[in-house]
Amino acid sequence: MLCERGLDVVHEPLDDPANLDDLIRQYAPTVDRVIVGGGDGTLSAVTQAMIDTGLPLGIVPLGTANNVARTLNSPEDIDAALDIAAGDFRRTIDVGEVNGRCFLTTASFGLSVAITEELSSERKARWGRLAYIVSAARVLRRATPLHAQIVWPGGKLDMRTVQVVVGNGRYYGTALQVADDARIDDHTLNLYAIEVRHWWQLLALGPALKRGTHGQHDAVHSARAREFEIVTTTPCAIDADGELIGETPARFRVLPDALTVFAPEG
């Protein structure tokens, strides 16, 4: 399909995305782009190699959520996505980093990690996006607040929270929005932290999370900065682009214009 679009293709199917980094570095001297078919986790797995080699990335959304593609306004239609990946129009986007690990959508701890742990590959493959909703419903009743201290240039939060999300792009999870004005090329990170006493209060935030207007609620604290330092009283697992990558304490920062991607014009 890519050959029909004028590309001389080196095709390398892989079962383990962990090997993509080495493969990209191996072919970097002889190729002018890398095209990856997969979801947010697969794209996250190649980000560091793409930054290091300077190669542009073409995206074919084949995952469950495809939030990176959604943030870039890339089409879900495979043929249309291949046209863009084989084209000439490029743009630079920011990359988030937490404790030295790159992420494209969000890095978070709290409820999101519990949902990630609840999900299984089999469930996602069988139920698609509905799997996130089912897992979230199971996790909500077990939500336990934790103490976190969040510091950024010019600001500080000391709170008990059930969820902290730091976003680089706009969409994450089941097409939720980090903020309704978040962009993947604005050179900043968007943070929000939820502080509620009862699990059922989270249900009222659902529509606002979908619209990205949750920052207007009293139960949500939000901030925008180029970097954040977060310390918790007990270590908390961190989820980045749907993968567990370590624990708090955590340092988040934005890497401006770090990655070049093929994307729709405009």
Side-chain angles (χ1 to χ4, degrees):
M1 298 174 74
L2 286 169
C3 294
E4 297 169 359
R5 290 167 169 83
L7 297 185
D8 185 10
V9 179
V10 178
H11 182 229
E12 289 284 354
L14 283 177
D15 293 328
D16 186 359
N19 297 326
L20 281 170
D21 248 24
D22 293 336
L23 196 64
I24 289 169
R25 297 177 200 279
Q26 175 186 337
Y27 281 102
T30 59
V31 299
D32 67 353
R33 71 188 69 197
V34 174
I35 299 175
V36 175
D40 298 327
T42 304
L43 296 175
S44 183
V46 306
T47 297
Q48 189 63 61
M50 300 304 299
I51 293 173
D52 292 345
T53 61
L55 289 168
L57 175 65
I59 299 169
V60 182
L62 300 176
T64 304
N66 299 315
N67 286 304
V68 176
R70 181 176 288 105
T71 296
L72 293 169
N73 291 320
S74 295
E76 293 186 3
D77 178 74
I78 302 303
D79 282 332
L82 289 171
D83 286 340
I84 292 169
D88 296 320
F89 184 78
R90 310 176 186 192
R91 58 180 286 196
T92 56
I93 63 173
D94 304 333
V95 173
E97 185 184 83
V98 52
N99 291 350
R101 168 66 153 73
C102 290
F103 64 92
L104 292 172
T105 59
T106 60
S108 59
F109 60 89
L111 288 175
S112 58
V113 171
I115 292 170
T116 296
E117 292 174 334
E118 181 80 21
L119 281 169
S120 66
S121 298
E122 179 182 353
R123 186 175 295 165
K124 285 198 293 184
R126 183 177 179 181
W127 294 347
R129 294 177 186 174
L130 180 61
Y132 289 91
I133 298 172
V134 173
S135 296
R138 292 179 176 177
V139 164
L140 283 181
R141 289 182 176 272
R142 304 197 302 264
T144 303
L146 55 95
H147 182 263
Q149 185 180 81
I150 305 169
V151 179
W152 66 95
K156 180 179 179 179
L157 281 172
D158 203 321
M159 62 185 297
R160 289 181 62 77
T161 179
V162 295
Q163 170 85 326
V164 175
V165 174
V166 179
N168 172 57
R170 183 166 185 171
Y171 295 100
Y172 72 103
T174 54
L176 303 176
Q177 297 188 51
V178 178
D180 58 1
D181 60 348
R183 300 202 321 270
I184 202 167
D185 59 359
D186 58 6
H187 301 176
T188 59
L189 299 173
N190 287 273
L191 174 145
Y192 77 82
I194 300 175
E195 187 172 23
V196 294
R197 294 188 178 185
H198 305 287
W199 68 266
W200 49 263
Q201 292 175 292
L202 292 166
L203 299 178
L205 289 174
L209 287 167
K210 199 72 174 177
R211 296 191 301 267
T213 58
H214 45 279
Q216 301 172 16
H217 285 246
D218 293 339
V220 179
H221 304 269
S222 61
R224 181 172 292 175
R226 293 174 69 94
E227 60 183 51
F228 294 94
E229 297 273 355
I230 302 180
V231 177
T232 54
T233 50
T234 57
C236 298
I238 299 171
D239 173 294
D241 287 334
E243 304 292 333
L244 299 180
I245 55 88
E247 296 182 331
T248 57
R251 178 174 183 254
F252 300 80
R253 64 173 182 146
V254 66
L255 307 178
D257 300 325
L259 180 64
T260 300
V261 296
F262 293 94
E265 295 190 48

